């Protein structure tokens, strides 16, 4: 008769509230518990000889099906331990028993059988005095508040060996579809869950058997055959930054395992946080360490097993999470990661070297980043995550760092007014030095752009098709110098490349391309089209009326052109362009203001760029541009009647001269081969 003050226990509610949501891990959790119980029973029987004499057998039970991996419907776990003797039977029937606290047990593992499986059948042979006894029963929540049914405890023949057999079948609703089907996955999950025990060598032999697919493996041997390296270390972790912070002892067991042991489908390298001998938290760390396969043969993954008394005392009863705060876990995690990186330093150093090479390549191609990489190895170690390894990701990190650096400079400039007088000059000097570095980087970026243009121009004037020997069209080369049909109102000075002809032309302020003269000379009815007509104004004289700066006309001929008629003399053509300019009236500059008509005193400088042919050279020798240049590659001359200087040069000379003018800059940046 119950006393009205008795505390009542609702088993169904207890099971219902267990934190075992359907998942691949939780579908296998009762199997892990049965294996752990078997290991404890084996130690109860064989003590120190348990690793050598103990045997656990796990059988996978599948549904009848024609597929390669039929659905798993249950498991049978057998051991040769001491069995469910009187002491163990009492502990089994006691919820939340403390009987296995010293072994890491919480007294709730068998409740997972009730949660995940509809039924469990147990048969155990044990010694009772001088007799051998078999205890058997069913164990199911379907039996109501008393889950033990069909109970028998009878004496049996003494020849039977001691041990326990647990049949877990079938799954409760919702768990069947989550149970892994692959034999290899189930094997890896068992090894992973008991990795600390396998690594320590203290685990009994475990046979995994799947008669349906014809597979069998000794998991203990499987683990040792696939273990590459192992190392254990212990260190103290302060749980806060305070001087008197609590120090907890953490043990890290470093393992390298062959990649064929796939603990999970996702990720390679991981940290297993263990509480009371069970894996409580499993974190993939691929992104933090940035490593592929490692080991002597580059065929292994890294696994860290983290354990210790503090973790053991802060794990929930289901052993699915730790009970300390997220901040504490983060402190432990960061401390563990430092030790992991120390252990993996030989492999991580290789990554840092590769990152430095990639960063150097990116900086050489994008010298605007020179300012942030005075010490490239230091930048790599302090700013690049180990997972950042390709050029695009390194570029993004350099760009972020450069932006932060500029923002920091602006902040320092803004704070100068608050600086103590004694520190002012030092701060000014530091800021000035940082700004000068940025200016050098900007100049270097401009030089690299020039080299890229030269390389591209060189490819464009080469043969496009070696078989047909066809040159690229004139417009393709033209686009490299200045975009065709561009209007200066839509073209910044840094968007053309007239410096290829003369560095001074980089600063010309008025550009028209492939437009008839009468589009910008008010009184001209000519429709002739020089490729580029350029009005040169120094910035200080841009708005000054009556400025008498030279006007430059450039005429490009199609690369590879071979035929010239007598009427197609390019020198005559540019001089006719000059004449059109002179007889025209006022013209509008890019601001819309009308400039005075071009006076006779204004000199014209004309460039003709073409591939030389015998016919073209013959024509030049009978023109005003009949004088050879110093290097013998081009021609030049002066027409007093037009007050015009004319230079005719081949594309190769334009390219060669531009390279010579910029060569010293290329060498200083290491851009030469």
């Amino acid at each position: 008769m119950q006393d009205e003050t008795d505390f009542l226990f609702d088993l169904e509610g207890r099971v219902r509230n267990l934190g075992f949501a359907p998942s691949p891990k939780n579908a296998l959790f009762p199997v892990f518990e049965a294996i752990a119980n078997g290991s404890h029973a084996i130690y109860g029987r064989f003590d120190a000889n348990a690793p050598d004499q103990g045997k656990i057998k796990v059988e996978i039970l599948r549904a009848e099906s024609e597929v390669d991996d039929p659905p798993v419907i249950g498991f049978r776990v057998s051991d040769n331990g001491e069995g469910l003797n009187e002491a163990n039977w009492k502990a089994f029937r006691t919820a939340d028993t403390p009987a296995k606290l010293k072994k890491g047990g919480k007294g709730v593992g068998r409740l997972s059988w009730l949660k995940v499986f509809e039924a469990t059948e147990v048969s155990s042979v044990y010694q009772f005095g001088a007799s051998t006894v078999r205890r058997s029963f069913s164990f199911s929540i379907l039996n109501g508040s008393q889950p033990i049914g069909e109970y028998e405890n009878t004496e049996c023949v003494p020849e039977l060996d001691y041990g326990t057999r647990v049949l877990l079948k079938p799954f409760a609703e919702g768990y069947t579809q989550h149970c892994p089907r692959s034999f290899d996955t189930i094997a890896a999950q068992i090894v992973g869950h008991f990795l600390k025990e396998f690594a320590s060598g203290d685990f009994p032999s475990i046979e995994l058997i799947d008669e349906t697919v014809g597979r069998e493996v000794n998991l203990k041997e499987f683990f040792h055959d696939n273990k590459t390296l192992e190392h254990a270390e212990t260190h103290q972790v302060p749980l806060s930054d305070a001087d008197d912070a609590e120090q907890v002892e953490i043990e890290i067991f470093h393992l390298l395992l062959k990649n064929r042991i796939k603990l999970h489908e996702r990720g390679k390298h991981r940290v297993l946080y263990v509480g009371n001998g069970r894996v409580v938290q499993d974190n993939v760390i691929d992104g933090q360490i940035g490593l592929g396969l490692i080991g002597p043969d580059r065929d292994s993954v890294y696994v860290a097993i983290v354990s210790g008394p503090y973790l053991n005392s802060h794990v929930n009863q289901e052993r699915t999470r730790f009970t300390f705060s997220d901040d504490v876990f983060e402190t432990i995690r960061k401390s563990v990661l430092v030790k992991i990186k120390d252990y993996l330093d030989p492999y991580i150093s290789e990554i840092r070297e590769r990152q430095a090479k990639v960063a150097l390549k990116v900086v050489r191609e994008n010298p605007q980043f020179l300012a942030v990489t005075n010490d490239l190895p230091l930048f790599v170690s302090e700013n690049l995550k180990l997972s950042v390894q390709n050029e695009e990701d390194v570029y993004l990190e350099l760009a972020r760092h450069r932006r932060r650096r500029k923002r920091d400079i602006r902040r320092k400039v803004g704070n100068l007014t608050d600086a103590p007088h004694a520190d002012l000059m030092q701060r000014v000097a530091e800021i000035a030095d940082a700004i000068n570095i940025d200016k050098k980087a900007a100049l270097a970026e401009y030089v690299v752009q020039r080299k890229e243009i030269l390389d591209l121009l060189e490819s464009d004037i080469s043969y496009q098709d070696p078989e047909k020997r066809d040159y690229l069209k004139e417009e393709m080369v033209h686009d490299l110098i200045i975009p065709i049909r561009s209007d200066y109102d839509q073209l910044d000075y840094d968007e053309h490349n007239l410096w290829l002809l003369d560095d001074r032309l980089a600063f010309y302020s008025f550009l028209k391309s492939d437009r008839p003269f009468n589009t910008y000379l008010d009184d001209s009815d000519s429709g002739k089209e020089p490729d580029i007509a350029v009005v040169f104004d120094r910035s200080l004289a841009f708005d000054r009326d009556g400025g008498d700066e030279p006007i430059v006309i450039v005429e490009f001929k199609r690369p590879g052109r071979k035929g010239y008629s007598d009427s197609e003399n390019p020198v005559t053509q540019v001089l006719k362009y000059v004449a059109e300019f002179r007889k025209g009236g006022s013209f509008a500059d890019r601001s819309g203001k009308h400039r005075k008509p071009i006076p006779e005193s204004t000199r014209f400088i004309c460039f003709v760029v073409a591939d030389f042919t015998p016919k073209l050279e013959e024509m030049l020798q009978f023109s005003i541009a009949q004088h050879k240049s110093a290097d013998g590659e081009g021609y030049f001359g002066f027409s007093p009647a037009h007050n015009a200087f004319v230079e005719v040069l081949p594309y190769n000379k334009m390219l060669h001269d531009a390279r010579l003018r910029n060569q010293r800059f290329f060498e200083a940046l290491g851009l030469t081969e």
Side-chain angles (χ1 to χ4, degrees):
M1 180 177 179
Q2 288 184 343
D3 189 278
E4 64 180 7
T5 60
D6 286 349
F7 189 82
L8 303 180
F9 179 75
D10 185 348
L11 180 64
E12 290 184 76
R14 180 78 171 82
V15 171
R16 185 175 57 251
N17 293 331
L18 282 176
F20 284 104
S23 70
K25 179 181 178 181
N26 288 339
L28 293 176
F29 195 88
V31 181
F32 302 153
E33 288 301 318
I35 293 172
N37 289 342
S39 176
H40 296 156
I42 287 170
Y43 265 91
R45 179 180 180 184
F46 298 111
D47 198 18
N49 295 320
D52 299 322
Q53 296 182 259
K55 298 184 186 304
I56 297 174
K57 182 168 67 173
V58 180
E59 299 172 77
I60 302 172
L61 309 177
R62 298 181 184 270
E64 293 185 3
S65 174
E66 297 298 324
V67 299
D68 292 339
D69 286 328
V72 175
I73 59 174
F75 295 86
R76 183 181 291 112
V77 182
S78 308
D79 67 73
N80 64 339
E82 63 183 347
L84 278 171
N85 56 30
E86 293 304 311
N88 291 339
W89 177 237
K90 180 179 179 182
F92 183 90
R93 292 182 292 113
T94 305
D96 302 299
T97 176
K100 295 185 180 180
L101 280 179
K102 293 183 178 180
K103 300 176 182 178
K106 290 284 188 177
V108 296
R110 64 206 174 285
L111 297 185
S112 67
W113 301 352
L114 300 175
K115 178 78 172 183
V116 179
F117 288 92
E118 287 187 4
T120 300
E121 294 180 7
V122 181
S123 176
S124 182
V125 177
Y126 65 96
Q127 180 181 5
F128 183 74
S131 302
T132 300
V133 181
R134 183 198 303 274
R135 193 189 305 273
S136 61
F137 57 94
S138 64
F139 189 59
S140 172
I141 198 68
L142 300 179
N143 293 337
S145 59
Q146 295 298 327
I148 297 173
E150 302 176 13
Y151 177 76
E152 291 185 6
N153 187 38
T154 59
E155 189 171 338
C156 57
V157 296
E159 288 78 13
L160 286 177
D161 194 13
Y162 304 139
T164 301
R165 184 179 68 178
V166 178
L167 175 63
L168 301 163
K169 173 188 174 184
F171 279 105
E173 184 179 357
Y175 289 91
T176 303
Q177 61 268 36
H178 287 281
C179 182
R181 292 190 182 189
S182 165
F183 179 88
D184 292 327
T185 300
I186 295 173
Q189 290 284 299
I190 295 173
V191 170
H193 191 80
F194 296 102
L195 199 57
K196 187 172 184 292
E197 286 77 7
F198 279 111
S200 67
D202 295 334
F203 220 39
S205 171
I206 301 182
E207 293 284 341
L208 180 65
I209 301 170
D210 191 336
E211 292 184 353
T212 304
V213 300
R215 298 283 302 276
E216 181 175 341
V217 65
N218 184 299
L219 295 181
K220 194 171 183 179
E221 294 175 0
F222 178 66
F223 168 77
H224 285 286
D225 290 344
N226 290 281
K227 179 183 66 175
T228 307
L229 293 171
E230 63 180 43
H231 171 71
E233 64 173 305
T234 302
H235 73 112
Q236 301 292 321
V237 178
L239 295 185
S240 72
D241 295 330
D243 294 336
D244 57 348
E246 179 185 0
Q247 300 264 344
V248 299
E249 184 178 279
I250 298 294
E251 179 184 277
I252 306 175
F253 200 92
H254 306 277
L255 276 174
L256 294 190
L257 301 176
K258 297 288 187 181
N259 189 44
R260 67 173 67 98
I261 298 186
K262 291 188 176 295
L263 300 182
H264 289 287
E265 293 302 319
R266 62 182 183 88
K268 295 183 180 69
H269 313 290
R270 53 208 329 113
V271 181
L272 307 180
Y273 294 91
V274 174
N276 290 323
R278 309 290 196 279
V279 175
V280 178
Q281 192 153 333
D282 180 347
N283 290 356
V284 176
I285 57 170
D286 292 3
Q288 287 94 323
I289 62 176
L291 297 174
L293 296 180
I294 57 176
D297 298 322
R298 293 298 193 270
D299 62 351
S300 301
V301 298
Y302 170 82
V303 180
I305 305 170
V306 181
S307 60
Y310 186 78
L311 274 64
N312 292 340
S313 61
H314 290 81
V315 63
N316 69 349
Q317 62 180 8
E318 295 91 359
R319 283 167 288 200
T320 56
R321 63 180 178 83
F322 292 107
T323 57
F324 41 64
S325 68
D326 291 342
D327 290 341
V328 169
F329 179 75
E330 184 64 12
T331 299
I332 295 173
R333 186 195 68 81
K334 288 181 178 179
S335 177
V336 167
L337 190 60
V338 170
K339 294 297 182 180
I340 289 173
K341 289 181 177 180
D342 289 343
Y343 179 76
L344 297 175
D345 182 67
Y347 306 105
I348 292 174
S349 295
E350 293 177 8
I351 290 181
R352 290 304 190 193
E353 290 176 7
R354 291 200 299 270
Q355 285 180 317
K357 289 179 181 178
V358 172
L360 181 60
K361 183 176 185 292
V362 172
V363 170
R364 282 181 172 173
E365 294 174 354
N366 304 274
Q368 66 267 31
F369 298 133
L370 284 173
V372 300
T373 55
N374 290 329
D375 188 339
L376 203 55
L378 182 64
F379 169 81
V380 166
S381 63
E382 291 187 351
N383 296 277
L384 296 187
K385 294 181 179 179
L386 288 163
S387 57
V388 176
Q389 298 183 30
N390 63 52
E391 291 184 25
E392 182 176 342
D393 290 341
V394 170
Y395 180 96
L396 291 174
E397 291 303 320
L398 284 165
R400 290 190 187 98
H401 194 75
R402 184 188 185 208
R403 184 176 182 277
R404 294 182 191 122
R405 187 176 182 279
K406 286 188 172 183
R407 186 174 57 194
D408 186 55
I409 291 174
R410 288 195 295 269
R411 180 183 58 79
K412 288 180 178 178
V413 171
N415 292 338
L416 278 178
T417 54
D418 300 327
H421 180 72
D423 299 337
L424 184 60
M425 294 309 296
Q426 180 181 350
R427 292 195 184 184
V428 169
E430 291 174 355
I431 294 172
D433 182 60
I435 292 174
N436 285 335
I437 292 175
D438 278 339
K439 289 180 178 178
K440 291 176 183 177
L443 176 60
E445 180 181 16
Y446 181 61
V447 171
V448 168
Q449 290 173 352
R450 283 195 169 195
K451 183 179 184 299
E452 291 174 345
I453 291 296
L454 285 168
D455 291 342
L456 189 55
L457 179 62
E458 188 174 45
S459 67
D460 270 5
I461 65 175
S462 299
Y463 292 111
Q464 183 182 28
D465 187 337
E467 297 295 328
K468 297 181 179 180
R469 310 291 283 177
D470 290 335
Y471 278 101
L472 297 175
K473 290 183 177 180
E474 176 183 346
E475 286 82 356
M476 295 187 69
V477 176
H478 190 176
D479 276 346
L480 288 176
I481 311 301
I482 181 174
I484 292 177
R485 295 176 179 84
S486 64
D487 188 317
Y488 189 83
D489 290 336
Q490 301 171 350
L491 189 71
D492 291 333
Y493 72 91
D494 59 350
E495 293 178 335
H496 69 74
N497 296 293
L498 288 175
W499 55 267
L500 286 160
L501 286 168
D502 189 316
D503 281 312
R504 293 173 296 175
L505 302 186
F507 302 101
Y508 271 50
S509 58
F510 180 81
L511 301 171
K512 293 285 183 180
S513 176
D514 286 334
R515 301 285 180 89
F517 280 175
N518 58 19
T519 62
Y520 55 95
L521 291 175
D522 289 351
D523 299 328
S524 174
D525 58 2
S526 172
K528 297 178 181 178
E529 300 180 2
D531 284 295
I532 302 176
V534 186
V535 176
F536 176 65
D537 283 297
R538 295 190 180 96
S539 59
L540 293 176
F542 182 81
D543 292 325
R544 187 172 59 196
D545 290 335
D548 193 19
E549 299 295 343
I551 293 176
V552 175
I553 293 179
V554 178
E555 175 76 15
F556 289 97
K557 297 301 179 185
R558 180 173 55 84
R561 177 175 175 176
K562 292 180 170 51
Y564 289 90
S565 66
D566 291 336
S567 62
E568 293 177 321
N569 188 320
V571 176
T572 303
Q573 287 179 341
V574 294
L575 290 178
K576 285 183 179 179
Y577 295 155
V578 172
E580 287 293 335
F581 265 104
R582 290 204 185 280
K583 76 176 185 179
S586 62
F587 62 93
D589 62 20
R590 72 184 183 95
S591 67
K593 294 172 59 177
H594 279 263
R595 303 288 292 272
K596 291 181 179 181
I598 299 170
E600 293 294 326
S601 60
T602 297
R603 176 165 295 181
F604 279 76
I605 299 176
C606 305
F607 293 96
V608 177
V609 185
D611 282 336
F612 281 13
T613 65
K615 177 62 176 178
L616 178 58
E617 291 200 68
E618 179 185 343
M619 297 172 71
L620 293 176
Q621 290 166 4
F622 288 94
S623 72
I624 61 104
Q626 59 186 269
H627 307 286
K628 280 207 167 187
S629 58
D631 58 10
E633 301 248 342
Y635 292 84
F636 69 92
F638 180 73
S639 172
H642 298 86
N643 192 13
F645 174 86
V646 180
E647 181 177 357
V648 185
L649 68 160
Y651 282 101
N652 286 337
K653 175 176 170 58
M654 178 181 69
L655 176 63
H656 177 71
D657 290 353
R659 282 196 181 278
L660 285 180
R661 294 196 306 271
N662 291 274
Q663 185 67 20
R664 184 65 190 92
F665 295 109
F666 297 161
E667 291 174 354
L669 288 177
L671 300 177
T672 54
E673 296 181 357

